[in-house]
Amino acid sequence: MIDGSTSLTESSSRTREKLRQQLREGKLDDRTVEIDVRERNFPSFEILTNQGAEEMDVNIKDMLPNIFGQRTKKRKMKVNEAFEYLIQEEEQRLIDMDQVTRMAIDRVENSGIVFLDEIDKIAGREGGHGPDVSREGVQRDILPIVEGTTVNTRYGMVRTDHILFIAAGAFHVSKPSDLIPELQGRFPIRVELQSLTMEDFVRILTEPKSSLVKQYTALLETEGVKLEFTPEALDEIAHFAFRVNESTENIGARRLHTIMERVLDELSFDAPEKKGQSVTIDADYVRKMLTDIVKDQDLSRYIL
Amino acid sequence: MAIYLPSSAEEEQLALDELTPREIVVELDKHVIGQKNAKRAVAIALRNRMRRQKLSPELAEEIIPKNIIMIGPTGVGKTEIARRLAKLTNSPFLKVEASKFTEVGYVGRDVESMIRDLVEIAIDMVREEKPIRPNSTQKNGCWIFYCLHHLRCALRPVRPPAA
């Protein structure tokens, strides 16, 4: 390749030109190269702290990789993969963290949503009995955040005035009116959600974009099994789910998961041997799989 | 120095800002069955905050969010509604169990950690969607030089020896 008359630099620049040409045309895509990959997962260790010190913990984590320097390791990959990797790497470096931080904080302040689940568990005014690490105290702590305060984070101060809080709870034992009045006032909208009916169950099985029926059908399709449910079977499943919910504990739509899993238990196990077949689940099949368990109350408490 | 490209994500965001409460409910209907009242409530709350952002700063400052309490037994879709809502609007979203917090001074999470976590989520979101991805012209321009520089060094050792 190198003829004697050309100088070394010229030849290398020619090689470079040639390589560039080939790279653009995608001819090198399958070649394997070795490149330095930055190692990201440095050994992490948690520092157990109480609150407040949490900040410090975070900062130390940030410092560590810098103390030890960026560690790199060699990794082999195809040229097109390497190309992707290098682009990503460069992107990371180009990201202006200041701007990202500013945008992120702005987004949190103006459109952040905090979903406070199990709010009923901290309701209940004066605990009175038992070593109850003051629920009311937690409510009082939450209050300023919901009311609007400034929280110090590692990215800077964040105002919580306009964050949307959605609280949720079953309120079986306590009532929303058991929350401290100031907190009640900060949640002006109350909505009650209805228990699901049997018709709801049928719809949940079929209608959502990634409904259970669609999920299982897709899963078994990977085994080459075509799964179908008759409408009666779906009614039956919903019916069973509803009954178990009534007789044991009401866990809502989650019950459908356990019932479905039970109904398809055998099929899921045998599927690889049934390649190419199509299976239709009808009401009788559902009944056959479930009757015994549903009849036995104690058993269904454990299995369904 | 950063290269900022006109991102399509921003335009998308604009479209999402225009979601009417009715459209939000329709979107939620695709994932959660029933619970019309709860869907309406969150849709209104969301729209209200969009409305707020269009007001003059002085007035916007005064308007407090319409926080919601959803009351209902487990498994009827409370969480799912909130989760879908956040996805729909591309908002930073955090779900926490209120019961996991303890009063300041006791061992456990303090309540401010939820805001810290939320910021963390937002940072990730912004970082993800701010693609400084080279567009096609750049890919053929300086990007290829940059990558070539790295690849050139890398390609050498494995080049087959010249015949």
Side-chain angles (χ1 to χ4, degrees), chain A residues 117-124 135 168-174 179, chain B residues 98:
Chain A
D117 211 354
E118 296 181 26
I119 191 87
D120 53 327
K121 301 272 164 54
I122 59 162
R135 301 165 168 187
F171 289 100
H172 282 315
V173 191
S174 49
L179 294 166

Side-chain angles (χ1 to χ4, degrees), chain B residues 4-90:
Chain B
Y4 289 108
L5 303 172
S7 65
S8 57
E10 223 150 312
E11 289 155 28
E12 230 170 84
Q13 190 66 36
L14 263 182
L16 282 170
D17 280 352
E18 296 308 316
L19 276 179
T20 66
R22 202 178 302 280
E23 285 163 350
I24 293 173
V25 172
V26 168
E27 278 303 311
L28 289 174
D29 277 338
K30 287 181 191 162
H31 302 280
V32 185
I33 301 294
Q35 312 306 1
K36 193 156 157 267
N37 289 340
K39 286 175 187 165
R40 277 178 64 105
V42 292
I44 293 170
L46 210 75
R47 186 67 176 183
N48 263 336
R49 78 186 337 190
M50 293 173 193
R51 289 173 183 147
R52 187 185 76 85
Q53 286 180 34
K54 291 184 182 146
L55 299 177
S56 66
E58 304 92 68
L59 195 55
E61 204 51 38
E62 293 295 319
I63 294 173
I64 57 170
K66 306 284 180 279
N67 294 335
I68 301 168
I69 295 188
M70 292 201 271
I71 305 162
T74 175
V76 295
K78 298 190 295 281
T79 316
E80 199 57 21
I81 288 175
R83 200 184 291 281
R84 293 292 172 188
L85 185 75
K87 238 188 209 160
L88 198 64
T89 57
N90 224 351

Side-chain angles (χ1 to χ4, degrees), chain A residues 7-63:
Chain A
S7 74
L8 212 67
T9 47
E10 215 175 304
S11 95
S12 91
S13 83
R14 230 180 34 203
T15 320
R16 192 168 171 178
E17 192 54 50
K18 214 161 152 189
L19 278 174
R20 184 182 302 158
Q21 192 69 33
Q22 286 178 335
L23 186 65
R24 255 195 220 139
E25 286 162 10
K27 276 181 188 161
L28 297 177
D29 280 0
D30 288 330
R31 282 276 271 289
T32 313
V33 289
E34 214 173 50
I35 63 173
D36 285 328
V37 180
R38 208 180 298 162
E39 214 161 359
R40 289 227 182 76
N41 44 345
F42 48 89
S44 69
F45 48 89
E46 296 257 324
I47 301 166
L48 289 177
T49 54
N50 214 335
Q51 6 57 43
E54 200 168 333
E55 291 295 292
M56 191 185 74
D57 160 43
V58 169
N59 287 337
I60 288 179
K61 267 190 189 161
D62 270 0
M63 275 154 53

Side-chain angles (χ1 to χ4, degrees), chain A residues 84-141:
Chain A
E84 274 299 299
Y85 175 83
L86 290 171
I87 286 177
Q88 268 177 22
E89 195 75 334
E90 186 63 8
E91 261 175 29
Q92 285 289 325
R93 287 203 305 148
L94 285 175
I95 288 178
D96 177 352
M97 263 323 271
D98 278 351
Q99 176 143 8
V100 170
T101 308
R102 236 176 311 130
M103 280 178 71
I105 287 182
D106 181 69
R107 202 177 285 189
V108 166
E109 286 180 341
N110 288 308
S111 62
I113 300 176
V114 173
F115 184 71
L116 273 171
D117 211 354
E118 296 181 26
I119 191 87
D120 53 327
K121 301 272 164 54
I122 59 162
R125 248 172 275 180
E126 87 280 1
H129 15 260
D132 178 16
V133 178
S134 178
R135 301 165 168 187
E136 199 185 320
V138 178
Q139 288 185 55
R140 294 215 177 277
D141 285 347

Side-chain angles (χ1 to χ4, degrees), chain A residues 154-173:
Chain A
R154 61 187 275 223
Y155 299 102
M157 307 297 251
V158 176
R159 290 186 56 203
T160 66
D161 297 61
H162 300 292
I163 292 178
L164 179 66
F165 288 86
I166 302 178
F171 289 100
H172 282 315
V173 191

